[in-house]
Amino acid sequence: MSQQRFMRRGITKIFWLKEVRAASKAPTREELCSPNATELTEAISDVEGWALTNEAIETPDMSSTFTSSIPGEDKAEDSSFTFYEDKVSDAVEQLLPKGAKGWVVFLRKGDVPGSKSVDVFPVQVASRSAQYNTGNEAAKFEVSYTITEPPALDVAVPPAGPKPLPIPAHGGDGNDDDSVEVTVVAAAASVTTGDED
């Protein structure tokens, strides 16, 4: 099977959403935009967890020495992001205080409308802590999350919204009016008949 392989860095996008209204947990295009959504991608240094695992139940029986198993409880791994700390702004810290509830959304293959590559995790912020060290590296802090409901995996990227019309450039006449003058020129049509002498 032929594949077009890729690296997640530079492709995958990660969002924090305040709400997702659909019962299917599939975000709409409007919900993926401000003010409901904040893209976290550029601020993230490291990603841990964000996977659904299953605790298998062993089912041995007397007919065989092989120990079979059946699927058991689903469980989400402990999950976290490590963020770069901004020296001036505390926007991320204010967005993700301890106890904050929302949705972490991964667009695994980027914002490609129709691609079934969106994972949606309903979460609550469990903790946020600065990382202290004397090494030669950027200041960072870690935000850990508890996953509060079953995630929605392989959801389709919503259709792209309409593109805004370009704003016409103004001339150098100092007129700031947005109106456009249109001059209509009518041409008179002459009709001839075959009865002319």
Side-chain angles (χ1 to χ4, degrees):
M1 180 174 62
S2 178
Q3 291 182 308
Q4 184 175 342
R5 299 175 184 178
F6 67 100
M7 183 171 68
R8 292 229 181 270
R9 283 172 51 198
I11 299 294
T12 298
K13 295 181 180 295
I14 304 173
F15 291 85
W16 170 263
L17 272 58
K18 295 177 183 177
E19 66 174 2
V20 175
R21 291 183 290 271
S24 62
K25 301 185 181 76
T28 63
R29 177 58 59 176
E30 181 183 8
E31 289 169 340
L32 279 176
C33 297
S34 180
N36 185 61
T38 302
E39 186 173 355
L40 303 175
T41 314
E42 290 186 7
I44 292 175
S45 164
D46 196 17
V47 179
E48 291 288 341
W50 307 104
L52 194 63
T53 60
N54 184 270
E55 298 286 338
I57 301 171
E58 293 186 353
T59 56
D61 61 65
M62 293 297 292
S63 67
S64 172
T65 57
F66 177 77
T67 300
S68 60
S69 61
I70 60 173
E73 295 178 338
D74 288 331
K75 182 180 179 182
E77 294 184 3
D78 294 338
S79 302
S80 67
F81 293 132
T82 301
F83 292 93
Y84 289 108
E85 191 164 355
D86 192 310
K87 187 177 181 181
V88 177
S89 170
D90 62 353
V92 177
E93 292 93 326
Q94 293 295 323
L95 182 70
L96 302 172
K98 178 179 172 62
K101 294 181 179 180
W103 283 260
V104 169
V105 177
F106 291 84
L107 275 63
R108 299 195 313 267
K109 300 179 184 180
D111 192 352
V112 182
S115 171
K116 292 185 177 180
S117 56
V118 179
D119 295 337
V120 184
F121 293 85
V123 299
Q124 182 171 9
V125 175
S127 66
R128 192 189 73 220
S129 56
Q131 297 181 343
Y132 297 100
N133 62 70
T134 58
N136 184 31
E137 62 179 277
K140 301 173 185 177
F141 63 93
E142 184 180 69
V143 179
S144 61
Y145 302 82
T146 55
I147 299 174
T148 57
E149 298 177 33
L153 307 178
D154 301 327
V155 175
V157 178
K163 294 183 179 179
L165 294 174
I167 300 174
H170 295 297
D173 58 1
N175 183 8
D176 292 330
D177 187 6
D178 288 336
S179 62
V180 178
E181 290 186 9
V182 178
T183 303
V184 179
V185 178
S190 59
V191 179
T192 59
T193 66
D195 297 336
E196 292 182 359
D197 291 332

